[in-house]
């Protein structure tokens, strides 16, 4: 019987080194954040350069410095109405996105069941994507009024196509060998859809939802510009600040609207990773 002697000092040094070395996941997070932070600093530097070195003091309202946007805009007298308007815009965007998701996924499922249905319905999805919103404003006002319903309709119209196209792509991209394996058991069409096609299409569906989430925020703000009845959203405030030359509030409201789009986009990315990230790894 043999024994192996270990040096307590070397064991301690290895343990201390292992504790002092940052985890790999933490290093990856820091590496991922360094790029955006560097770009942010460059943008802020260019912003200050334009505000103080290029613009004259009497024209500085065209691009107020970042600290003025924060102090006078985000935390100024108009801050409360901005946050309230942002909340209303969020409700409009999420409502429109939910309706677009329900319609778009159903539409794609119907088209995936036969080539004839795809040829009959897909051109109209493309047409809806290509219609200019300005051309539909009078009709939308006649049909839905000029308040909440009209803004939601604009969100649905803008956010619908990515969900339809991505869901259809995912449903039709199921591996041929998996289809053959299912065919051996002679399942019904609904069983194939429920147990094979829809689970396989989930990554594409969440990719479409991420795209449509940002578009729904854009649609809510566009709807605010066109339909100004009822409680104001962030788009109405942007238009009001523009007309009053309140540049700090204008920039602050634009930043809030952009952060809303980023937050909704990030949420659906996180949700997609939670749902399909354990078994799906993009190549």
């Amino acid at each position: 019987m043999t024994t192996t002697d270990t040096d307590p000092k070397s064991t301690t040094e290895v343990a201390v080194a292992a504790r002092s070395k940052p985890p790999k996941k933490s290093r990856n997070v820091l590496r991922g954040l360094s790029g955006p932070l560097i770009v942010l600093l460059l943008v802020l530097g260019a912003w200050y350069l334009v505000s103080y070195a290029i613009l004259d003091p009497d024209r500085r309202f065209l691009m107020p410095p970042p600290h003025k946007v924060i102090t006078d805009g985000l935390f100024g007298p108009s801050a409360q109405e901005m946050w309230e308007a942002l909340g209303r815009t969020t409700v409009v965007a999420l409502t429109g996105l939910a309706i677009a998701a329900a319609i778009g996924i159903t539409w794609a499922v119907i088209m995936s069941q036969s080539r004839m249905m795809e040829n009959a319905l897909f051109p109209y999805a493309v047409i809806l994507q290509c219609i200019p919103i300005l051309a539909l404003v009078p009709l939308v006002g006649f049909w839905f009024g000029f308040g909440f319903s009209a803004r939601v309709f604009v969100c649905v119209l803008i956010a619908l196509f990515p969900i339809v196209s991505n869901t259809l792509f995912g449903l039709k991209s199921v591996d041929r060998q998996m289809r053959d394996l299912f065919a051996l058991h002679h399942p019904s069409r609904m069983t194939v859809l429920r147990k094979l096609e829809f689970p396989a299409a989930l990554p594409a569906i969440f990719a479409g939802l991420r795209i449509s989430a940002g578009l729904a925020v854009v649609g809510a703000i566009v709807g605010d510009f066109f339909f100004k009845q009822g409680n104001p959203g962030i788009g109405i405030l942007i238009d009001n600040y523009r007309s009053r030359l309140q540049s700090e509030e204008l920039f602050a409201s634009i930043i809030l609207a952009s952060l809303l789009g980023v937050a909704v986009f990030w949420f659906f990315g996180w949700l997609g990773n939670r749902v399909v990230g354990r078994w799906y790894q993009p190549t």
Side-chain angles (χ1 to χ4, degrees), residues 205-274:
I205 292 173
F206 277 104
L209 286 172
R210 291 180 72 185
I211 298 171
S212 295
L215 293 177
V217 175
V218 174
I221 296 173
V222 170
D224 283 340
F225 275 96
F226 293 150
F227 311 110
K228 298 186 177 181
Q229 291 184 2
N231 295 323
I234 196 70
I236 295 178
L237 292 187
I238 290 174
D239 193 40
N240 291 339
Y241 295 147
R242 175 197 59 80
S243 61
R244 301 170 189 164
L245 295 180
Q246 294 177 268
S247 57
E248 289 84 2
E249 289 82 359
L250 175 61
F251 275 79
S253 57
I254 292 174
I255 291 173
L256 284 180
S258 302
L259 292 178
L260 173 61
V262 171
V264 177
F265 180 87
W266 176 86
F267 171 76
F268 279 98
W270 171 84
L271 183 62
N273 289 332
R274 296 288 295 179

Side-chain angles (χ1 to χ4, degrees), residues 18 41-42 44 87 100 127-128 139 155 163 188 197 236 245 253 276:
L41 292 176
L42 291 175
L44 290 177
I127 290 173
L128 285 178
L139 291 177
C155 290
I163 297 176
S188 65
E197 294 179 342
I236 295 178
L245 295 180
S253 57
V276 302

Side-chain angles (χ1 to χ4, degrees), residues 43-277:
V43 170
L44 290 177
W47 191 342
Y48 273 110
L49 179 66
V50 173
S51 297
Y52 286 107
I54 298 178
L55 294 176
D56 297 329
D58 56 345
R59 292 173 53 84
R60 196 161 292 157
F61 69 93
L62 296 174
M63 184 171 284
H67 67 274
K68 296 288 288 182
V69 172
I70 294 175
T71 56
D72 297 347
L74 290 177
F75 299 102
S78 302
Q80 182 176 355
E81 69 171 355
M82 277 190 212
W83 288 104
E84 292 175 354
L86 185 68
R88 300 185 191 104
T89 299
T90 303
V91 172
V92 172
L94 294 181
T95 303
L97 179 62
I99 296 174
I103 296 175
I105 293 174
T106 304
W107 194 341
V109 167
I110 293 173
M111 289 190 294
S112 70
Q113 299 308 299
S114 73
R115 175 66 65 177
M116 182 185 69
M117 296 302 297
E118 181 181 354
N119 293 335
L121 296 178
F122 192 76
Y124 294 99
V126 178
I127 290 173
L128 285 178
Q129 176 71 10
C130 297
I131 292 177
I133 299 298
L134 282 174
L136 289 180
V137 167
L139 291 177
V140 175
F142 291 151
W143 295 338
F144 301 102
F146 295 89
F148 179 82
S149 299
R151 299 174 200 172
V152 170
F153 182 83
V154 173
C155 290
V156 173
L157 193 64
I158 292 179
L160 184 60
F161 183 76
I163 297 176
V164 174
S165 60
N166 280 271
T167 303
L168 181 62
F169 172 78
L171 292 172
K172 295 176 72 68
S173 299
V174 178
D175 187 81
R176 175 59 60 183
Q177 294 179 352
M178 294 297 297
R179 289 189 182 275
D180 294 339
L181 179 61
F182 265 68
L184 293 176
H185 301 277
H186 305 287
S188 65
R189 183 169 291 185
M190 184 58 65
T191 301
V192 173
L193 174 65
R194 182 168 55 90
K195 293 188 175 182
L196 175 63
E197 294 179 342
F198 199 79
L202 280 176
I205 292 173
F206 277 104
L209 286 172
R210 291 180 72 185
I211 298 171
S212 295
L215 293 177
V217 175
V218 174
I221 296 173
V222 170
D224 283 340
F225 275 96
F226 293 150
F227 311 110
K228 298 186 177 181
Q229 291 184 2
N231 295 323
I234 196 70
I236 295 178
L237 292 187
I238 290 174
D239 193 40
N240 291 339
Y241 295 147
R242 175 197 59 80
S243 61
R244 301 170 189 164
L245 295 180
Q246 294 177 268
S247 57
E248 289 84 2
E249 289 82 359
L250 175 61
F251 275 79
S253 57
I254 292 174
I255 291 173
L256 284 180
S258 302
L259 292 178
L260 173 61
V262 171
V264 177
F265 180 87
W266 176 86
F267 171 76
F268 279 98
W270 171 84
L271 183 62
N273 289 332
R274 296 288 295 179
V275 175
V276 302

